[in-house]
Amino acid sequence: MSIDFHPTKVDLLRSCDSNDESRLWDVCGGDFNLILKGGSRQVRFQPHLGHFLASSTKNIVNIFDVETNSIQKKVTKGHVKDVRSICWDMSGIYLASVSTDMVY
């Protein structure tokens, strides 16, 4: 459903699928290392540093700590309908999400 390269570890990328799983892939080896629940629509690494990964599933946006692979924040307020897209600002401080009912 979505894919994004890590901004500093260029041999790593994260993908997500319709089963609500996101996988961390080693581009050189072609293997996936880690599966996380909570990403069926979009995955986006925080720009420049890649400390955080944002993902969306249904009307929820999850923010994962990349080092610990744990959810740091689960945003459940705001969207009634499914989140269609997420995007970090260039500083990596702010995250926007959009659905057919609103931008948050």
Side-chain angles (χ1 to χ4, degrees):
M1 301 300 290
S2 178
I3 194 164
D4 196 24
F5 278 94
H6 192 282
T8 61
K9 300 174 184 175
V10 294
D11 58 336
L12 294 179
L13 62 85
R14 177 72 70 173
S15 68
C16 69
D17 60 28
S18 60
N19 294 326
D20 198 34
E21 294 179 341
S22 71
R23 297 169 190 259
L24 184 65
W25 294 87
D26 175 354
V27 175
C28 297
D31 297 326
F32 64 88
N33 300 326
L34 181 67
I35 299 175
L36 294 174
K37 285 298 220 179
S40 63
R41 174 73 61 179
Q42 290 264 297
V43 288
R44 294 289 178 262
F45 281 105
Q46 178 189 31
H48 306 296
L49 301 174
H51 290 295
F52 297 107
L53 173 82
S55 69
S56 66
T57 186
K58 298 184 182 177
N59 65 336
I60 299 168
V61 175
N62 294 306
I63 300 175
F64 291 91
D65 181 308
V66 174
E67 292 296 318
T68 64
N69 299 309
S70 61
I71 293 178
Q72 294 300 299
K73 185 160 184 84
K74 181 178 263 195
V75 181
T76 57
K77 297 178 184 176
H79 295 285
V80 174
K81 297 185 179 180
D82 290 356
V83 173
R84 298 291 184 190
S85 184
I86 53 178
C87 184
W88 292 93
D89 78 313
M90 291 305 293
S91 71
I93 296 173
Y94 300 103
L95 180 71
S97 57
V98 66
S99 62
T100 56
D101 61 329
M102 72 176 306
V103 175
Y104 189 70

